[in-house]
Amino acid sequence: MIYNKNIPTIEKPCIKKCCLNENDVCLGCFRTLDDMRTWHKSSRDEKIKMLSLAEARKEKHNTLHRFSS
């Protein structure tokens, strides 16, 4: 996912399906618990970084769990 730096605000990616794993990462939006707690006071660049890391966590999770059922 690419985030446009020209867009003035960045909405939180919460999809209201919160379930934290053993590392305190939400399996809905893939932000850490700390990311969720600090989102409202984070700068635009910090939010972009959080979203980028969340996307990487999501891809890793999906790769690891692709064949498990």
Side-chain angles (χ1 to χ4, degrees):
M1 191 174 299
I2 297 174
Y3 302 95
N4 185 338
K5 290 191 174 207
N6 297 321
I7 297 174
T9 60
I10 298 175
E11 299 296 323
K12 63 182 177 179
C14 181
I15 60 170
K16 309 280 191 244
K17 293 188 178 187
C18 301
C19 179
L20 298 178
N21 70 11
E22 64 279 359
N23 297 313
D24 285 338
V25 172
C26 176
L27 297 177
C29 67
F30 290 90
R31 290 182 297 161
T32 65
L33 185 57
D34 190 50
D35 289 347
M36 291 183 262
R37 288 182 182 148
T38 61
W39 182 265
H40 68 283
K41 61 183 178 182
S42 296
S43 71
R44 180 170 176 49
D45 287 340
E46 289 169 331
K47 289 177 181 179
I48 290 170
K49 184 175 180 181
M50 285 180 204
L51 292 173
S52 177
L53 291 171
E55 186 66 26
R57 284 187 211 102
K58 180 179 179 179
E59 288 176 15
K60 181 178 180 181
H61 173 83
N62 289 343
T63 298
L64 291 172
H65 296 87
R66 182 172 296 156
F67 299 108
S68 58
S69 300

